[in-house]
Amino acid sequence: MDRFDVLIVGAGPAGSFAAERLARGGVRVALFDGRPPGEPKACGGGVTSKALKAWPHLLEAVGRTIDELDMYSPSGKHLHLELDEPFAVYSRIAFDTFLRERARDAGAQVFTEKVSARGFKQTADGWIVRAQSGAEFSSEWLVGADGANSAIAKKLAGPLPPAEMEVAFGYRAPLPDDANAATVVAFLPKWVGYAWAFPRPDHISFGIATTQDAFDHEALDKLLWDFMVSYYEGYRTGSGSDRVSPRSRNATMKLWKQSHGVDSSNAQQVRDDLKKSAERYAARIPGLEPRTWDKRRACGEHWALLGDAAGFADPVTGEGIYYALRSAELFADAYLSGEPLNYERLWRVDFGRELQRASQMRRKFYGNFWGAPFTERMIEFARGHRGIRKILGKLVAGDQGYTNLKKKLARSALKPL
Ligand SMILES: Cc1cc2nc3c(=O)[nH]c(=O)nc-3n(C[C@H](O)[C@H](O)[C@H](O)COP(=O)(O)OP(=O)(O)OC[C@H]3O[C@@H](n4cnc5c(N)ncnc54)[C@H](O)[C@@H]3O)c2cc1C
């Protein structure tokens, strides 16, 4: 039986990043992932500028940098944001392969197979883990980086109730014939969450992220189709002409208005074309309740959880890649310093409190503010106010927390333009 110091289950961003850092520190690491080649993890692939600043080598992965963003309020009001700090959008195949290869180059042994859901048992000196092929491996430490449905987390930290999961679903669809395809984030009317359009080098990722407890698949799928049709319609019609000009930089989408109406013939054509090409995907994102952050542990004697497996995603936006990478880094630091159990303290101090505050903020963020949805007010104010646009830009960059967001926006709104 092969023996390792650390065995990591899951080679998403969290698992591969931890494997790379541990292997560079001289640790014998095994990294397992059974995802079939060519099957991407369901994800928008957006990586904030906060993450790009922390780990500039991420820019070496093939992706697209975004320095302009179109935002829409729940009533369809438009805001064009020029970002001081660009973010990046990656295909998850490209991003995950890039990180996995770095782990391999650093000396981690990578196994392209699944670990059986019940195939790990604790022994006196660590763990014995069984892969689906039947082969067994032993290690001193077991790290669960196996994502939102982590079997390891269920066993070691306990299962999360459905109310603490968010749902994200969407479609991968062709890029319009325009190198400058718009990047869009649109807050949903009457629902918690938002829709996005993230153009990548070879396709666009469309999606909706929302809470699982209020999930109504039929209504939300219809909303997303209207969003996608409106996105492409701009490219086909330009400003009213027939299928000639690409969407101009200033053309806006007519959002959330078509749900009750009948498609124009052009929109119908877009819809029919999309039906032939769009590939659907769906997955869950952890969205922990405020009190769960106090109770739930991410490590114990000879085990640790990273990224989604530990529940580390922003409960307001569903952003999880930064936290996957940061938790991997903190665990590797703790392990390499000879005090792996210190990881629990490190993640709590580093980002745990901020994520807990975000989950306390979730209801407020999607609730009311000065008599209208907060997100409506935020876009409305930002349209006429540079200071608010700056705060919004920082929020997108990952540099603005939620705790003082309302206060900052309100203060900014009261300052002269
Ligand atoms: C639709 C959608 C859109 C999203 N958009 C964004 C976004 O734009 N930006 C952002 O920051 N976050 C986004 N997220 C969240 C983000 O995808 C996750 O937070 C992030 O991928 C977590 O990384 P991870 O390494 O912890 O887990 P994952 O990326 O889920 O990786 C887990 C890996 O473990 C493997 N695995 C699972 N079980 C086993 C097993 N038994 N044996 C071996 N391998 C196993 C899986 O194959 C997978 O490769 C989105 C999520 C969804 C669902």
Side-chain angles (χ1 to χ4, degrees):
M1 194 188 311
D2 287 340
R3 172 97 185 156
F4 293 92
D5 298 323
V6 178
L7 192 147
I8 303 176
V9 182
S16 292
F17 205 47
E20 178 190 336
R21 295 184 75 92
L22 289 168
R24 281 197 202 291
V27 178
R28 281 171 303 153
V29 185
L31 176 64
F32 283 81
D33 202 307
R35 185 178 292 283
E39 187 188 292
K41 147 88 176 94
C43 184
V47 175
T48 54
S49 71
K50 181 179 176 181
L52 300 175
K53 278 186 281 180
W55 307 289
H57 69 271
L58 297 180
L59 286 165
E60 291 163 27
V62 178
R64 193 167 177 142
T65 23
I66 308 292
D67 53 12
E68 291 181 64
L69 177 67
D70 287 304
M71 295 186 85
Y72 291 85
S73 74
S75 74
K77 289 198 185 83
H78 172 242
L79 170 72
H80 183 75
L81 262 190
E82 283 175 17
L83 303 171
D84 293 338
E85 312 256 21
F87 69 97
V89 177
Y90 295 100
S91 129
R92 279 296 299 264
I93 292 185
F95 192 64
D96 290 12
T97 307
F98 171 77
L99 292 173
R100 196 175 309 180
E101 287 315 309
R102 283 180 62 99
R104 200 195 301 273
D105 292 347
Q109 221 171 305
V110 181
F111 296 86
T112 44
E113 59 177 317
K114 260 188 147 178
V115 164
S116 320
R118 275 187 242 113
F120 44 94
K121 68 173 184 274
Q122 199 152 15
T123 60
D125 62 349
W127 294 85
I128 293 184
V129 171
R130 190 163 17 88
Q132 264 185 345
S133 62
E136 289 195 326
F137 302 84
S138 74
S139 66
E140 194 194 343
W141 271 73
L142 177 65
V143 173
D146 46 343
N149 301 317
S150 167
I152 296 177
K154 272 183 205 129
K155 186 155 170 197
L156 299 176
L160 283 174
E164 299 197 54
M165 280 289 169
E166 296 179 13
V167 187
F169 73 97
Y171 296 86
R172 286 181 275 271
L175 279 170
D177 301 330
D178 175 8
N180 293 320
T183 304
V184 181
V185 168
F187 294 108
L188 303 177
K190 302 195 192 96
W191 299 86
V192 165
Y194 61 95
W196 72 82
F198 285 177
R200 295 163 171 178
D202 57 345
H203 68 275
I204 300 192
S205 154
F206 288 105
I208 278 183
T210 186
T211 51
Q212 179 154 310
D213 44 2
F215 191 68
D216 174 342
H217 175 255
E218 209 173 301
L220 286 164
D221 195 50
K222 181 170 177 351
L223 217 51
L224 183 56
W225 272 93
D226 288 344
F227 175 78
M228 295 194 296
V229 168
S230 178
Y231 184 90
Y232 286 97
E233 238 196 324
Y235 288 98
R236 289 184 171 247
T237 57
S239 48
S241 55
D242 191 22
R243 287 188 180 221
V244 279
S245 57
R247 186 170 185 270
S248 89
R249 272 293 191 210
N250 304 321
T252 56
M253 289 163 70
K254 288 190 187 60
L255 268 191
W256 316 138
K257 309 262 185 324
Q258 300 177 355
S259 353
H260 305 297
V262 176
D263 278 348
S264 65
S265 62
N266 185 49
Q268 188 59 50
Q269 184 63 50
V270 174
R271 197 177 288 271
D272 291 345
D273 289 349
L274 261 183
K275 286 213 163 113
K276 287 180 215 142
S277 55
E279 288 170 41
R280 192 172 193 286
Y281 63 85
R284 303 197 301 168
I285 311 175
L288 304 193
E289 292 286 347
R291 63 182 180 283
T292 308
W293 290 102
D294 292 327
K295 292 186 296 194
R296 200 173 164 84
R297 294 184 62 81
C299 86
E301 281 303 328
H302 296 281
W303 62 269
L305 303 173
L306 310 177
D308 275 12
F312 297 157
D314 180 327
V316 174
T317 60
E319 179 209 345
I321 293 174
Y322 171 81
Y323 302 102
L325 297 171
R326 184 66 181 142
S327 60
E329 187 168 66
L330 293 174
F331 172 69
D333 287 352
Y335 187 94
L336 292 171
S337 73
E339 294 191 66
L341 290 175
N342 214 7
Y343 168 56
E344 187 70 34
R345 193 182 61 77
L346 292 180
W347 74 260
R348 286 183 186 280
V349 172
D350 192 85
F351 59 78
R353 287 197 200 115
E354 175 65 17
L355 286 184
Q356 185 175 36
R357 287 195 206 111
S359 67
Q360 285 156 349
M361 255 308 278
R362 176 163 53 178
R363 211 158 287 178
K364 290 188 192 156
F365 192 84
Y366 291 109
N368 279 348
F369 182 61
W370 290 3
F374 174 68
T375 46
E376 184 72 39
R377 285 283 182 244
M378 195 169 65
I379 301 278
E380 221 168 64
F381 291 166
R383 277 155 61 103
H385 204 296
R386 197 154 21 100
I388 296 183
R389 280 201 296 282
K390 273 225 162 322
I391 295 173
L392 214 48
K394 283 194 169 173
L395 190 67
V396 174
D399 289 334
Q400 165 64 52
Y402 297 102
T403 15
N404 57 355
L405 178 63
K406 278 192 175 185
K407 222 185 268 169
K408 269 203 167 173
L409 287 173
R411 235 186 259 147
S412 228
L414 297 174
K415 277 192 196 147
L417 289 181

